[in-house]
Amino acid sequence: MLDDSLLDHAEALAAADRGGLLRGAAEAGALTRTAVRHATEAGLAELRPDGRPRALLVAGPGPVAGCAADLLGAFSSGSVPVSLIRPAGRSAEPSDLRWTLPGWAGPLDLLFLLTKNGAEPGLTALADQAYRRGCTVVAVSPAGSDVAEAASPPRGLNVPLATLPFEPGVPDERPIAAPGELWTLLTPLLMLTDRLGLGHAPPDALESLADRLDKVAERCGPAIPTYDNPAKTLAVELADSLPLLWSETPIADAAARHFATMLGALPGRPALHSPLPEALTVHQAVLTGMFAGATGEDDIFRDRVDEPQALRARIVLLHEQPPTGVTAAPAARSLAHRHEAAVSELEASEGSRPLDAAAELIATADFTAVYLALTPSP
């Protein structure tokens, strides 16, 4: 069971947050503005590209690279293929990871390197591969790092990683899936793809993105009580649940995969994602098996002392806009009702632009994962 006695005590949450997770989630808007400034100083805003690349390639350690690739593909609406280069290695340590360009990559393609460390030898080797093949390389990494040097002119371009001043008492090392980190690495790519005509991230859209992240931080912050806090409310709903994260648009798909990653990385909770309408079949067995809802056959007189709480499947529907037209959302709710499964819904504000919708869904998911991590079972 969730120890919800902490949720409405900001001081207790702060004391439990030894890793600075809440700060990471709250500073996403500020990091986005810093990232815009760094990218502008690096010259991205003045670029005059000759044409579109044939494909975008994304590489980096940790789950941020995958989410960035998902979102770039969603924002470009399929106008250019976006491929994630997955690493191989003897372990998950960044120093052990190696990346290999696909055989077809060449001068018409654009490679993005994303790293908060910048010391990965595998990424510097990948930059060398790309240079020999004629690929354009853009890195987002700490200034002066090995990766930054490998991507510097004439080989490519490095945008210094956006960071905020160190806060005394908060460890400088963040978890591999730190809240808010996505936007420090993704924002420069949004600026560049906008210059290439592959997305819709002009300066006003990026300012709107930062504002939306700030608004989510205000609504979901530790001082806001559970009854008026979407992230705390969702955390309570997901307590003792196996979340089934269902979505039916590319942006919501990216947010749902990110949410599953954060739930596993921070509170250590399993979650399953599937897009609609496929989820109606591929997750149906979950709704009828050992994670099914109440069957009405429970013995109310049995001794529950020291009995572990049963884990029940709970459907979470993620929407970037209210479902309209051809949608599987009604069928999802009907399936949940038939199997007595609870349903939560996470939806961006009506009328949101795609970038704002992605920010709202992902930032709310980040806060939810943090609250679950900070309020373990009593």
Side-chain angles (χ1 to χ4, degrees), residues 218-272:
E218 292 172 3
R219 294 175 58 211
C220 298
I224 306 302
T226 300
Y227 67 84
D228 203 28
N229 187 317
K232 288 183 180 180
T233 299
L234 187 55
V236 172
E237 292 172 350
L238 295 185
D240 309 311
S241 298
L242 173 65
L244 305 181
L245 308 175
W246 293 358
S247 52
E248 56 182 342
T249 61
I251 289 174
D253 290 346
R257 282 190 288 270
H258 173 84
F259 197 5
T261 296
M262 298 300 287
L263 288 171
L266 298 184
R269 291 171 175 261
L272 302 176

Side-chain angles (χ1 to χ4, degrees), residues 342-369:
V343 178
S344 298
E345 304 209 22
L346 181 57
E347 181 178 306
S349 302
E350 189 171 357
S352 296
R353 292 187 287 190
L355 189 54
D356 292 341
E360 186 167 345
L361 293 177
I362 289 173
T364 305
D366 283 350
F367 270 103
T368 300

Side-chain angles (χ1 to χ4, degrees), residues 18 23 57 63 72 94 108 112 123 162 164-165 174 182 206 209 226 232 238-239 244 265 270 277 284 292 305 331 351:
R18 298 182 180 88
R23 182 190 181 220
L57 300 165
L72 289 175
L108 299 178
F112 293 132
L123 285 183
L164 290 181
R174 294 276 176 84
L182 168 67
L206 293 175
L209 164 66
T226 300
K232 288 183 180 180
L238 295 185
L244 305 181
Q284 186 167 6
V305 177

Side-chain angles (χ1 to χ4, degrees), residues 286-303:
V286 181
L287 297 174
T288 57
M290 63 182 296
F291 302 108
T295 63
E297 301 175 358
D298 190 26
D299 180 5
I300 64 173
F301 297 107
R302 75 180 189 277
D303 186 4

Side-chain angles (χ1 to χ4, degrees), residues 43-370:
L44 288 190
E46 283 74 39
L47 283 179
R48 298 291 184 269
D50 294 330
R52 294 185 176 187
R54 177 180 60 178
L56 302 179
L57 300 165
V58 182
V64 168
C67 188
D70 286 342
L71 289 172
L72 289 175
F75 295 143
S76 65
S77 302
S79 59
V80 63
V82 180
S83 298
L84 173 67
I85 303 178
R86 298 187 181 279
R90 296 170 298 180
S91 75
E93 290 296 321
S95 59
D96 286 337
L97 300 179
R98 298 294 183 269
W99 291 261
T100 302
L101 279 177
W104 50 262
L108 299 178
D109 305 310
L110 175 57
L111 171 64
F112 293 132
L113 306 179
L114 308 180
T115 170
K116 65 177 182 179
N117 183 289
E120 300 87 351
L123 285 183
T124 59
L126 182 63
D128 290 340
Q129 291 179 48
Y131 181 68
R132 291 194 300 269
R133 298 259 203 104
C135 293
T136 301
V137 180
V138 175
V140 183
S141 67
S145 66
D146 293 343
V147 172
E149 293 298 321
S152 297
R155 294 190 166 201
L157 174 68
N158 182 71
V159 178
L161 181 70
T163 59
L164 290 181
F166 174 72
E167 182 177 293
V170 176
D172 201 27
E173 289 294 323
R174 294 276 176 84
I176 192 65
E181 185 178 283
L182 168 67
W183 306 107
T184 69
L185 295 164
L186 178 63
T187 299
L189 308 191
L190 295 174
M191 294 179 66
L192 180 54
T193 53
D194 182 68
R195 302 303 298 169
L196 294 169
L198 302 177
H200 303 283
D204 69 308
L206 293 175
E207 184 59 35
S208 178
L209 164 66
D211 289 344
R212 182 64 60 94
L213 290 169
D214 286 343
K215 289 178 181 176
V216 173
E218 292 172 3
R219 294 175 58 211
C220 298
I224 306 302
T226 300
Y227 67 84
D228 203 28
N229 187 317
K232 288 183 180 180
T233 299
L234 187 55
V236 172
E237 292 172 350
L238 295 185
D240 309 311
S241 298
L242 173 65
L244 305 181
L245 308 175
W246 293 358
S247 52
E248 56 182 342
T249 61
I251 289 174
D253 290 346
R257 282 190 288 270
H258 173 84
F259 197 5
T261 296
M262 298 300 287
L263 288 171
L266 298 184
R269 291 171 175 261
L272 302 176
H273 166 252
S274 181
L276 288 169
E278 292 93 327
L280 302 177
T281 54
V282 299
H283 283 171
Q284 186 167 6
V286 181
L287 297 174
T288 57
M290 63 182 296
F291 302 108
T295 63
E297 301 175 358
D298 190 26
D299 180 5
I300 64 173
F301 297 107
R302 75 180 189 277
D303 186 4
R304 288 176 168 79
V305 177
D306 296 328
E307 180 179 315
Q309 180 75 21
L311 197 64
R312 304 298 187 189
R314 186 182 190 98
I315 296 168
V316 182
L317 299 177
L318 290 92
H319 313 288
E320 62 181 276
Q321 294 289 346
T324 58
V326 179
T327 173
R333 299 186 189 100
S334 177
L335 180 66
H337 178 72
R338 289 200 305 273
H339 294 295
E340 301 185 32
V343 178
S344 298
E345 304 209 22
L346 181 57
E347 181 178 306
S349 302
E350 189 171 357
S352 296
R353 292 187 287 190
L355 189 54
D356 292 341
E360 186 167 345
L361 293 177
I362 289 173
T364 305
D366 283 350
F367 270 103
T368 300
V370 169

